[in-house]
Amino acid sequence: MKGIIPVWAELRNRRTKELPQYELETRPLAKLHPACIQGRDRVPTCDDCGSHGFFLPPERWLLGESIPKDFDLFGVKETTRIVVSERFVDTVNRLGPSDMVYREISVE
């Protein structure tokens, strides 16, 4: 797989022997296609931090030119969504049962 960046998760528990745990870094690299974000989905700019955003529309697709070619796992800018490649899904499925849920997303 390409572009997988493991980051050590500093978690503490009551066990005497802690096994190292890792999170996968998901850099926000891709963008939603502008046509799927309508004016009604926009939220007002935050007076405190200046952030401006939108409600995630029910039907969404990615801007094709923003999708990184060398990553099997990445985030979508201005959202908390994570996108994975088919190769990532196949690898996780080969490892055994998982509680991960995947949904296909279109690209335009």
Side-chain angles (χ1 to χ4, degrees), residues 3-18:
I4 302 296
I5 303 166
V7 180
W8 185 46
E10 295 186 36
L11 303 172
R12 300 189 189 277
N13 62 32
R14 295 180 185 187
R15 297 166 92 189
T16 54
K17 290 185 177 182
E18 295 182 15

Side-chain angles (χ1 to χ4, degrees), residues 61-91:
W61 57 97
L62 297 176
L63 182 62
E65 63 196 38
S66 73
I67 297 174
K69 304 293 183 229
D70 297 332
F71 285 81
D72 286 316
L73 174 82
F74 53 90
V76 179
K77 291 182 180 183
E78 300 183 69
T79 74
T80 57
R81 298 297 182 202
I82 297 171
V83 178
V84 298
S85 68
E86 288 183 33
R87 179 177 29 219
F88 184 95
V89 174
D90 291 342
T91 301

Side-chain angles (χ1 to χ4, degrees), residues 29-71:
L29 301 172
K31 295 179 182 177
L32 286 177
H33 195 283
C36 71
I37 306 168
Q38 301 173 6
R40 65 178 164 73
D41 296 324
R42 293 264 174 218
V43 295
T45 301
C46 176
D47 293 332
D48 295 326
C49 70
S51 173
H52 58 279
F54 50 87
F55 292 108
L56 201 57
E59 291 185 34
R60 51 194 174 260
W61 57 97
L62 297 176
L63 182 62
E65 63 196 38
S66 73
I67 297 174
K69 304 293 183 229
D70 297 332
F71 285 81

Side-chain angles (χ1 to χ4, degrees), residues 102-106:
Y102 305 102
R103 243 188 262 168
E104 193 169 323
I105 186 165
S106 301

